[in-house]
Amino acid sequence: MAGPVKRPYDGTRRQEQARRTRARIVGAATRLFEEQGYGATSIAAVAAAAEVSPQTIYAAFGSKPALLGAAIDVALAGDDEPIPVFDREGSQAAVGAPTPADAARAFARSATAVLARAGRIVAAADAAAQTDPELMAMCIGGHQGRYQDFQRTAQAFEAAGFLRAGLTADGAADLMWALASPDSYRAFTVIRSWTTEQFEAWLVDAVGRSVLGT
C-alpha cells in the first residue's frame, strides 16, 4: 500500500504571503503614525490594525524605529521594490529631459508625487525625532539621501547645459532641495490649503526660474 503523497515545499508562495503581511503592517503603521504621531502609536496598535500579532511585527522589522524607516521607504518609492528613488521613472524623466522647460516639468511632477505620498510620514518622523536621538540620526540620514538625489539631478542638468547662468550644480541642488522639501509641501498644502496640482504648478515655475532660467 502506497504511503501518503507529500506536497513539495512551496517557498515562493510563503514568500509572497510574507510580503503581503509585511505590506499590510507597513500600511497600518503609516496610517497610524500619520494620524496619531509616532510616539502615540504602539506596536500593539499597529498589530491590531494590521490583524497580526506584535511578535509578527518584531520578527519582520525588529523594532519600532525600523518599522518607521520601512514605512518612509515605501512611501518615498511608492512600493516595496528595491529600486532607489533616483533610478525610478519619474527621476529619470527629469535627468533625461530634452529641454530646460521639460526638465522643470518632469522634476516638479516627480518631486510632487513623492511629497504627496511621503510628506505626512516624513513630518511625523521629524516631529518625533526632536526628542529621540535615534530617530534624529535616521531622519538626518534620510534628508541627506534626498539631497544627494537632487545633487545627481543637478549634475545632470549642468551636463546638459540647462542651469541658469552663474549657478553651480551644488547651488542648484540646494535650491531644489529647499523648494521641493516636505516642509514646503506642508506649508502650501496644509497651511495655505493648496491642492497638489497647485503645488506642482508652483514648483514648475519656481525651479524653472531659479534653477533652469526658463
Side-chain angles (χ1 to χ4, degrees):
M1 183 175 180
V5 177
K6 293 184 179 180
R7 294 181 180 179
Y9 176 75
D10 189 352
T12 302
R13 182 180 178 183
R14 290 183 69 89
Q15 289 175 358
E16 183 57 30
Q17 289 175 337
R19 184 175 181 177
R20 287 199 298 267
T21 298
R22 185 181 176 93
R24 195 164 69 249
I25 293 169
V26 167
T30 300
R31 184 175 67 256
L32 292 176
F33 288 152
E34 290 177 348
E35 293 175 354
Q36 300 180 5
Y38 175 81
T41 300
S42 66
I43 290 293
V46 175
E51 299 182 339
V52 299
S53 69
Q55 290 75 16
T56 298
I57 296 178
Y58 285 116
F61 299 94
S63 67
K64 185 178 170 183
L67 175 58
L68 174 62
I72 292 173
D73 288 344
V74 170
L76 289 171
D79 56 50
D80 61 355
E81 294 291 337
I83 303 172
V85 172
F86 182 80
D87 294 332
R88 289 174 178 264
E89 182 179 356
S91 298
Q92 290 303 301
V95 301
T99 69
D102 289 326
R105 285 192 291 270
F107 173 81
R109 186 182 308 116
S110 176
T112 301
V114 170
L115 290 167
R117 290 193 306 264
R120 292 183 66 193
I121 189 69
V122 170
D126 285 340
Q130 303 308 307
T131 57
D132 188 322
E134 181 180 2
L135 288 186
M136 179 61 76
M138 184 183 77
C139 289
I140 289 174
H143 287 298
Q144 288 175 338
R146 188 173 65 87
Y147 179 82
Q148 289 168 0
D149 284 349
F150 287 170
Q151 197 171 39
R152 295 171 70 185
T153 302
Q155 289 166 351
F157 289 165
E158 183 179 50
F162 290 171
L163 292 187
R164 174 173 55 80
L167 186 65
T168 65
D170 283 347
D174 288 341
L175 287 169
M176 291 189 294
W177 188 66
L179 292 168
S181 70
D183 287 339
S184 292
Y185 182 77
R186 180 180 180 277
F188 283 117
T189 61
V190 176
I191 299 173
R192 293 286 295 121
S193 300
W194 281 14
T195 65
T196 299
E197 291 74 20
Q198 285 177 301
F199 180 84
E200 182 178 332
W202 169 81
L203 190 57
V204 171
D205 184 67
V207 170
R209 289 174 183 274
S210 64
V211 177
L212 303 176
T214 55

